[in-house]
Amino acid sequence: MDFENLKPGLSNVEEMTVTEGETALKAGSGSLKVLATPVMVCLMEKAATNLAEKNLPPEFTSVGTSLEIKHIAPTPVNMKIRTKAILTEIDGRKLIFEVSAADEVEEIGKGRHERFIVKREKFQSKADEKIRLLV
């Protein structure tokens, strides 16, 4: 199937303000009250996911398959962060994104994220089948 609405160069932005709940201390990924790496990565992935969702037919979605991320600067509580995903390449059903994150002062993260286009129902059924195998 051709996903004609997806084109290299498309981008999407997601924003949030860091709260105590998004710190490394609360997330269990460190001992400081700064933005947790997993939270930054999640917001980067959300930017890519939402870009894909807006441009796919309703019976399709995308799933994350690879992340290569660098967290390069800390962000304190109460500071806003902004993540951006740019679709750089389409290889069949594989989508490749350049992702970045910045707080109100500087770039805090960057990397590469891959997603794969799947049929919603088929993928969910495959996952649900694992539960049935345990019974």
Side-chain angles (χ1 to χ4, degrees), residues 85-131:
I86 302 170
L87 182 58
T88 58
E89 187 180 335
I90 302 168
D91 182 8
R93 294 191 296 150
K94 181 168 65 171
L95 306 174
I96 301 169
F97 298 88
E98 176 184 301
V99 291
S100 61
D103 61 26
E104 296 171 80
V105 175
E106 64 186 333
E107 182 177 58
I108 62 167
K110 59 185 174 180
R112 184 175 185 269
H113 176 43
E114 291 182 9
R115 300 190 67 76
F116 200 78
I117 299 170
V118 297
K119 285 194 170 184
R120 288 177 188 276
E121 288 183 27
K122 183 177 179 184
F123 192 87
Q124 188 65 58
S125 292
K126 184 177 178 181
D128 293 346
E129 184 61 29
K130 288 184 175 185
I131 297 297

Side-chain angles (χ1 to χ4, degrees), residues 57-71:
E59 68 272 19
F60 290 90
T61 191
S62 66
V63 295
T65 56
S66 175
L67 287 163
E68 185 179 321
I69 305 296
K70 291 183 180 188
H71 194 169

Side-chain angles (χ1 to χ4, degrees), residues 38-90:
V39 174
M40 180 191 74
V41 169
C42 185
L43 199 60
M44 289 172 154
E45 189 168 10
K46 182 178 181 181
T49 299
N50 287 344
L51 186 154
E53 285 292 315
K54 288 187 276 191
N55 292 286
L56 286 171
E59 68 272 19
F60 290 90
T61 191
S62 66
V63 295
T65 56
S66 175
L67 287 163
E68 185 179 321
I69 305 296
K70 291 183 180 188
H71 194 169
I72 55 179
T75 302
V77 172
N78 295 324
M79 189 171 274
K80 291 179 184 175
I81 65 164
R82 179 178 195 252
T83 60
K84 185 174 186 178
I86 302 170
L87 182 58
T88 58
E89 187 180 335
I90 302 168

Side-chain angles (χ1 to χ4, degrees), residues 12-26:
N12 187 51
V13 171
E14 297 292 334
E15 297 178 328
M16 67 173 281
T17 299
V18 180
T19 68
E20 293 282 338
E22 285 97 26
T23 64
L25 182 62
K26 288 289 185 178

